[in-house]
Amino acid sequence: MPFDNNYQVSSNFSELTHDFLSNHLIPPTPANYAVIYLYISNENELLTAAIDQKIKQNTPIMADFLADLFKRFVSFSEQIDSTVISPFEEVLSSTLEQISLQVGNEDKVTTSLHKLKIILSENKHHKSLKNIVSYLSDTINNTKEQHHELSKKLSTTQQEINQLKQKLESSRQEALIDSLTGLLNRRGCDDKLQALDFTQTHSSLVIDIDHFKKINDNFGHFIGDKVIQRIAKIIKNHLTEEDLAVRFGGEEFLVVMTNKSIIEAEDVAEKIRISIEKVKLIHRETNEPLPPISVSIGIAQNNNASDWSSLFKEADNALYQAKKSGRNRCICA
């Protein structure tokens, strides 16, 4: 039966994983277990090759090595879901179905035995047979109770799995967001770009805060973070729900304007630049005004770009020209 096979395979993988961890003196943490389970089950060729090389070189498998493998191959929640949770959920559902069928058969047998017991009770000559029927009936009833109890526990486990999947999805979404600004981070940008058709017309803005290092040096990183947050909010407020706003790193932002020409992108970029130029910031502790904030923006459209990276490169080159031309301006590639 498929259920038996899946259960047996998973059990074997689990035992081999425990043996591997023990033999190599590896702490059985959830992260280590996940990495070695994938290795044992040969789910990821690159991960398997990395561990095989360590074993071939007779090099100890250290915690930092496993942590790196976890980060590279396992940390994505969808990977955990597809390789660990979903297979277990399938086995669990199959188990519940098997128990349900078995309980249904037991109910039928119990009904038949009850009828037979009534018939036998009417005839004193069948006392021994009646005792056998009573024993079988009691045994099946006890088994039914055990199955009902097991079914309850498995149903509870299934609910816990659903909650875990929700938490994993929540964690996955959080991993795509920049914690300071609420914009997408690089990983989030890559994730969203996969859903877009690059052959359609798209434009990109690369935005950089002018002289941001001076703000950090003169007022500290706390004020610098506040500046980044304010600018991120202004950028977001000028975009549509379809557009992607990304904190690309430090004081640099990336915008993907989906299905918009460079003319539309330039109009939005200029509005963002002017809005930021008008911002007046006051240091709360000293009431000292901060120097004017400005941004330089490079703009490009995917006319000649072969992929997203080349589009962003064109916009970044335009940003360089904006910086070179005196900053606080928008320039199209």
Side-chain angles (χ1 to χ4, degrees):
M1 295 171 61
F3 162 69
D4 293 332
N5 292 336
N6 289 339
Y7 180 82
Q8 189 60 48
V9 169
S10 298
S11 295
N12 290 340
F13 285 160
S14 181
E15 289 179 10
L16 292 172
T17 299
H18 282 294
D19 290 344
F20 188 98
L21 292 170
S22 177
N23 293 337
H24 291 268
L25 303 178
I26 300 171
T29 64
N32 291 345
Y33 183 90
V35 170
I36 300 305
Y37 186 94
L38 287 178
Y39 170 71
I40 295 297
S41 59
N42 199 25
E43 292 283 347
N44 188 299
E45 292 182 2
L46 293 176
L47 181 147
T48 299
I51 295 178
D52 280 343
Q53 185 176 11
K54 282 283 185 182
I55 295 174
K56 185 177 180 180
Q57 295 173 346
N58 200 25
T59 306
I61 298 176
M62 307 300 290
D64 56 349
F65 171 70
L66 291 175
D68 179 63
L69 291 181
F70 183 84
K71 184 178 180 181
R72 290 166 55 196
F73 301 112
V74 188
S75 60
F76 296 102
S77 59
E78 59 265 33
Q79 171 105 3
I80 297 173
D81 189 10
S82 64
T83 60
V84 179
I85 294 180
S86 292
F88 181 72
E89 190 175 26
E90 291 176 7
V91 171
L92 183 59
S93 297
S94 180
T95 303
L96 286 169
E97 289 178 10
Q98 294 287 333
I99 291 175
S100 179
L101 288 172
Q102 193 162 351
V103 169
N105 292 333
E106 288 167 350
D107 286 337
K108 293 177 182 178
V109 174
T110 301
T111 301
S112 298
L113 288 173
H114 180 68
K115 291 179 180 178
L116 181 58
K117 187 175 180 181
I118 293 174
I119 294 172
L120 292 174
S121 63
E122 296 173 357
N123 192 324
K124 296 179 181 179
H125 299 291
H126 295 140
K127 185 176 180 179
S128 59
L129 185 56
K130 179 185 172 184
N131 291 337
I132 294 174
V133 171
S134 297
Y135 171 77
L136 291 174
S137 182
D138 292 341
T139 301
I140 291 175
N141 284 329
N142 289 334
T143 304
K144 281 173 58 181
E145 290 179 5
Q146 292 174 357
H147 283 161
H148 280 302
E149 186 64 27
L150 177 59
S151 183
K152 286 181 182 179
K153 290 180 179 179
L154 291 176
S155 295
T156 300
T157 301
Q158 195 167 43
Q159 292 173 4
E160 292 172 350
I161 288 175
N162 290 334
Q163 292 173 0
L164 178 59
K165 289 179 72 175
Q166 291 173 1
K167 290 180 180 178
L168 280 172
E169 177 58 24
S170 177
S171 297
R172 192 183 80 86
Q173 293 300 324
E174 289 177 4
L176 305 179
I177 301 298
D178 175 62
S179 59
L180 180 64
T181 63
L183 304 183
L184 294 170
N185 56 26
R186 287 194 179 199
R187 180 185 290 183
C189 178
D190 292 340
D191 185 74
K192 297 294 183 182
L193 290 178
Q194 293 179 21
L196 297 179
D197 181 2
F198 187 76
T199 62
Q200 300 296 317
T201 298
H202 304 294
S203 296
S204 175
L205 313 179
V206 175
I207 305 170
D208 189 82
I209 305 174
D210 296 327
H211 302 298
F212 183 73
K213 186 176 184 299
K214 290 183 179 180
I215 298 174
N216 274 338
D217 291 344
N218 295 332
F219 298 94
H221 290 281
F222 178 79
I223 297 299
D225 286 349
K226 292 298 180 184
V227 171
I228 288 174
Q229 288 174 328
R230 177 67 72 86
I231 290 177
K233 186 175 182 180
I234 291 172
I235 292 172
K236 188 70 174 176
N237 288 342
H238 282 83
L239 304 179
T240 66
E241 291 184 0
E242 290 75 24
D243 298 329
L244 307 180
V246 185
R247 185 185 176 200
F248 214 58
E251 68 273 22
E252 189 171 270
F253 301 87
L254 172 73
V255 173
V256 177
M257 306 196 69
T258 61
N259 301 309
K260 294 179 180 68
S261 68
I262 196 169
I263 296 175
E264 296 171 284
E266 185 179 16
D267 180 60
V268 171
E270 187 62 19
K271 288 177 180 177
I272 290 173
R273 187 193 66 78
I274 292 172
S275 295
I276 292 172
E277 187 179 40
K278 292 179 178 179
V279 169
K280 308 267 184 212
L281 296 176
I282 303 294
H283 196 296
R284 287 187 178 181
E285 294 180 2
T286 63
N287 287 326
E288 180 183 355
L290 269 66
I293 307 297
S294 68
V295 295
S296 300
I297 305 177
I299 311 160
Q301 181 181 316
N302 62 338
N303 289 331
N304 301 316
S306 58
D307 53 26
W308 291 110
S309 294
S310 56
L311 171 62
F312 300 153
K313 180 65 176 175
E314 288 184 15
D316 194 57
N317 289 339
L319 169 67
Y320 175 77
Q321 293 300 320
K323 293 280 189 182
K324 191 177 179 180
S325 302
R327 295 182 171 83
N328 191 23
R329 64 194 65 214
C330 303
I331 287 189
C332 295

